[in-house]
């Protein structure tokens, strides 16, 4: 892989990761409700799903998804339903203020971290931007005449670095803005905005087609 190809890939990844989407929204919400430190767990869950999607692309499962209408459609609409669930839940929320969580015991904190990690995995697995990128765009940066594993490792680690860094930067910014966002009435406004983004992401995912679809 040439340095020019890698720099072009970095630019594409940077644009993709800094554009607010479901993962960013999830981390911002968690940071406002809790702290940037707790956002580490959903961010790691999101990264886990992305690594899984990248691995599938590397071993050719992405090609199977692209060629199998049934498998592709089932996976796609499971993601659509989950994003719709998140969106509708936010839109229906009656909360007018953000509430900081009460202190919990060690067991409760551990369960909460696990819940956040799993939520991050689910959001990452149903992120339409990631699915589009790794099934259609990502393979175009692979040089078929060179060893593929080193290329996948370089491209994968590059994406993970930028994705994780951007998510945590958004979380830190949201935490700094916390006092303003927690003022009365801001929670309802934020829930309406976040709900709309999740629903829009679900609609976008529903329009994704197989690479060889007519």
């Amino acid at each position: 892989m040439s340095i020019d190809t890698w720099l072009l890939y970095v630019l594409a990844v940077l644009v993709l990761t800094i554009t607010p989407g479901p993962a960013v929204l999830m981390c911002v919400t968690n940071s406002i409700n809790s702290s940037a430190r707790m956002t580490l767990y959903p961010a790691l869950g999101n990264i886990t799903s992305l690594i899984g999607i990248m691995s599938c692309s590397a071993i050719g499962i992405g090609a199977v998804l692209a060629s199998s209408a049934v498998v592709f459609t089932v996976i796609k609409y499971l993601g659509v339903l989950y994003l719709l669930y998140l969106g509708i839940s936010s839109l229906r929320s009656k909360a007018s203020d953000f509430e900081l969580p009460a202190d919990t015991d060690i067991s409760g904190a551990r369960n909460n971290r696990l819940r956040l990690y799993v939520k991050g995995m689910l959001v990452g697995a149903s992120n339409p931007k990631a699915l589009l990128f790794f099934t259609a765009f990502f393979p175009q940066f692979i040089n078929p005449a060179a060893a593929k594993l080193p290329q996948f490792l370089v491209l994968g680690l590059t994406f993970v670095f930028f994705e994780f860094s951007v998510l945590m930067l958004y979380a830190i910014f949201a935490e700094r803005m916390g006092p303003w966002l927690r003022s009365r009435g801001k929670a309802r406004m934020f829930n309406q905005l976040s709900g709309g983004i999740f629903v829009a992401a679900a609609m976008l995912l529903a329009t994704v087609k197989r690479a060889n679809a007519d």
Side-chain angles (χ1 to χ4, degrees), residues 30-214:
N30 188 76
S31 183
I32 294 171
N33 284 317
S34 183
S35 66
R37 181 174 60 85
M38 288 300 291
T39 302
L40 174 67
Y41 301 101
L44 288 175
N46 179 71
I47 292 297
T48 301
S49 287
L50 294 181
I51 290 174
I53 297 173
M54 284 188 286
S55 300
C56 288
S57 178
I59 63 179
I61 295 180
V64 174
L65 292 177
S67 61
S68 174
V70 175
V71 175
F72 183 89
T73 301
V74 169
I75 293 177
K76 180 178 75 171
Y77 281 105
L78 285 175
V80 169
L81 290 174
Y82 183 66
L83 290 174
L84 282 175
Y85 165 74
L86 292 177
I88 293 173
S89 297
S90 295
L91 290 172
R92 296 183 63 187
S93 175
K94 302 298 184 182
S96 59
D97 304 298
F98 289 105
E99 296 180 1
L100 293 175
D103 292 336
T104 58
D105 57 21
I106 295 177
S107 176
R110 185 181 299 112
N111 290 335
N112 187 46
R113 290 194 291 267
L114 178 60
R115 179 181 61 80
L116 291 172
Y117 177 80
V118 172
K119 183 177 181 180
M121 287 185 64
L122 292 172
V123 170
S126 58
N127 189 334
K129 292 194 303 180
L131 292 174
L132 280 169
F133 186 83
F134 289 114
T135 59
F137 197 56
F138 183 74
Q140 297 180 31
F141 289 94
I142 301 295
N143 180 1
K148 294 183 177 59
L149 181 58
Q151 296 182 78
F152 272 110
L153 289 176
V154 170
L155 296 179
L157 289 174
T158 299
F159 191 94
V160 167
F161 171 78
F162 278 100
E163 176 73 4
F164 183 76
S165 299
V166 168
L167 289 179
M168 294 311 298
L169 285 174
Y170 268 109
I172 293 171
F173 175 76
E175 185 178 48
R176 297 289 178 86
M177 293 291 292
W180 180 80
L181 289 169
R182 292 190 193 103
S183 60
R184 188 166 185 80
K186 294 297 190 304
R188 181 167 180 78
M189 178 184 69
F190 185 81
N191 285 332
Q192 294 295 308
L193 175 62
S194 61
I197 292 176
F198 276 122
V199 171
M203 295 174 65
L204 175 61
L205 180 56
T207 65
V208 175
K209 297 181 179 180
R210 292 182 297 125
N212 65 341
D214 294 333

Side-chain angles (χ1 to χ4, degrees), residues 1-18 133 137 141 154-155 157-159 161-163:
M1 180 188 302
S2 68
I3 188 66
D4 291 339
T5 300
W6 181 76
L7 290 175
L8 180 61
Y9 174 79
V10 167
L11 179 61
V13 169
L14 184 60
V15 171
L16 180 74
T17 54
I18 65 175
F133 186 83
F137 197 56
F141 289 94
V154 170
L155 296 179
L157 289 174
T158 299
F159 191 94
F161 171 78
F162 278 100
E163 176 73 4

